[in-house]
Amino acid sequence: MHTVAVLALDQVIPFDLSAPVDTFGWARLPDGRELYDVRVCSVAAEVSAAGGAFTVRAPYGLETLAEADTIVLPGAADPAAPLPPEVAEALRAAAAAGTRIASVCVGAFVLAATGLLDGLRATTHWAAADALAERHPEVTVDANVLYVDNGQFLTSAGAAAALDMCLHMIRKDHGSQVAGHAARMSVMPLEREGGQAQFIVHELPPAPAGATLEPLLRWLEANCDRDLALEEIAARAGMSTRTLNRRFREQTGTTPSRWLHRARVRRAQHLLETTPYPVERIAAQTGFGSPTAFRERFRRVVGTSPRAYRQSFQAADQVRPRSH
């Protein structure tokens, strides 16, 4: 069982604390078996929550960090508060042992205070990004992404981005099927549009329920393997190209061609994860015309090559039980 230790420091932000607990808790194999043993730990037996609404009784102590496979660091009300020396020592020891460590929101200040983020790219809540960069100039702070995955060390932006980051870790550990189930149970998309890093996938811009373009968007997604000209799309929608462009911007916030490219990339991701098809076949099946055009567009949207994406996700996509 993969052990996840969530460290609650004094004045812990409630959502930062609960998001990883719930998200990892939803991860299940198809037969219902749990995949993560989530433990809330702290320096003291009881800590206060930010705002003083309640207190948290942590059932585990700091020694849990040495036993964990993954450590999650929620933010606290005062991110500039000094880090207890015993916490810093425990985190450094865990990192030396190869433990994965992730921070939520301003929990990046805790991780940065250990020196483990030195020389790395990281993110935090946009409102705290300047303060993090000023306090830790050796860390490259990127406020334009939902999260950053450096391999062993991950950081997420605002509290809601903790869900994105945790789903990403579940997906890397157990593949898209398990992560997709956890996302549905969390009432979250598996990937969200916005600033992205590494393997985060751009979500298709949604159309409001009942929008006039909704049938057209379904048709486009089903036919994204075809070479679709703007004129054909407009004819399918029963409107001029000018009206089509205007309606697309009004209802999806983007253009027909960009929406179609994104749909093709998502189809390609699915094929890379679930089939052994060569890049040439996937390029043809997703309407890119040539492997070169496919590789360029895929890298632009996803941030990595099709080959690297497949190596990261296809092997993990075979759902398998973990050793206990």
Side-chain angles (χ1 to χ4, degrees):
M1 182 77 73
H2 186 117
T3 299
V4 178
V6 184
L7 178 62
L9 298 177
D10 196 41
Q11 290 290 297
V12 63
I13 297 172
F15 191 90
D16 289 14
L17 177 66
S18 62
V21 172
D22 276 352
T23 309
F24 283 110
W26 283 123
R28 298 282 196 281
L29 286 173
D31 62 9
R33 278 179 292 165
E34 297 181 358
L35 292 166
Y36 297 94
D37 176 18
V38 185
R39 305 177 182 181
V40 176
C41 62
S42 184
V43 178
E46 188 173 286
V47 296
S48 59
F54 57 87
T55 57
V56 178
R57 291 183 179 179
Y60 296 94
L62 209 57
E63 68 279 358
T64 301
L65 300 184
E67 305 165 1
D69 301 291
T70 296
I71 296 171
V72 182
L73 305 174
D78 180 10
L83 184 62
E86 62 270 32
V87 174
E89 183 179 348
L91 289 174
R92 293 190 191 103
T99 304
R100 180 172 62 185
I101 305 178
S103 65
V104 177
C105 195
V106 293
F109 284 77
V110 176
L111 189 51
T114 65
L116 295 172
L117 290 179
D118 289 3
L120 298 178
R121 180 166 160 262
T123 193
T124 187
H125 193 290
W126 61 267
D130 289 344
L132 179 64
E134 182 178 354
R135 190 175 183 85
H136 299 282
E138 61 281 1
V139 179
T140 302
V141 180
D142 185 347
N144 298 315
V145 294
L146 290 176
Y147 59 82
V148 175
D149 182 351
N150 288 297
Q152 185 180 5
F153 306 117
L154 299 90
T155 53
S156 67
L163 299 173
D164 300 279
M165 180 181 68
C166 290
L167 290 171
H168 172 70
M169 288 191 281
I170 293 170
R171 190 177 186 183
K172 289 185 74 174
D173 292 344
H174 296 286
S176 299
Q177 183 178 355
V178 171
H181 171 75
R184 287 190 296 274
M185 297 303 293
S186 302
V187 197
M188 273 283 294
L190 186 52
E191 300 93 18
R192 287 195 295 151
E193 181 161 10
Q196 311 283 319
Q198 298 203 10
F199 301 121
I200 308 176
V201 185
H202 286 269
E203 183 63 54
L204 292 173
T212 57
L213 287 181
E214 196 172 354
L216 178 65
L217 297 183
R218 290 198 298 268
W219 180 81
L220 282 173
E221 194 161 9
N223 291 272
C224 66
D225 58 318
R226 293 176 49 205
D227 184 14
L228 296 171
L230 183 62
E231 291 74 16
E232 182 181 354
I233 299 172
R236 175 76 186 189
M239 59 185 72
S240 68
T241 56
R242 182 175 180 179
T243 301
L244 176 69
N245 279 322
R246 186 177 73 251
R247 294 278 175 81
F248 245 84
R249 287 206 173 273
E250 289 172 352
Q251 296 184 26
T252 71
T254 189
T255 65
S257 64
R258 288 177 182 171
W259 197 98
L260 189 57
H261 278 311
R262 195 164 292 168
R264 286 168 171 163
V265 168
R266 289 183 63 80
R267 171 80 64 84
Q269 287 177 298
H270 175 72
L271 292 173
L272 287 167
E273 292 176 10
T274 60
T275 74
Y277 299 160
V279 166
E280 291 75 14
R281 178 171 175 177
I282 292 176
Q285 288 188 319
T286 51
F288 281 100
S290 73
T292 300
F294 167 54
R295 290 188 180 95
E296 290 177 355
R297 177 64 63 171
F298 192 91
R299 181 178 288 278
R300 192 180 310 166
V301 175
V302 182
T304 189
S305 68
R307 180 174 180 272
Y309 184 89
R310 169 171 273 164
Q311 288 176 339
S312 295
F313 289 118
Q314 189 176 54
D317 212 44
Q318 305 303 316
V319 179
R320 58 199 185 280
R322 306 284 290 215
S323 59
H324 291 261

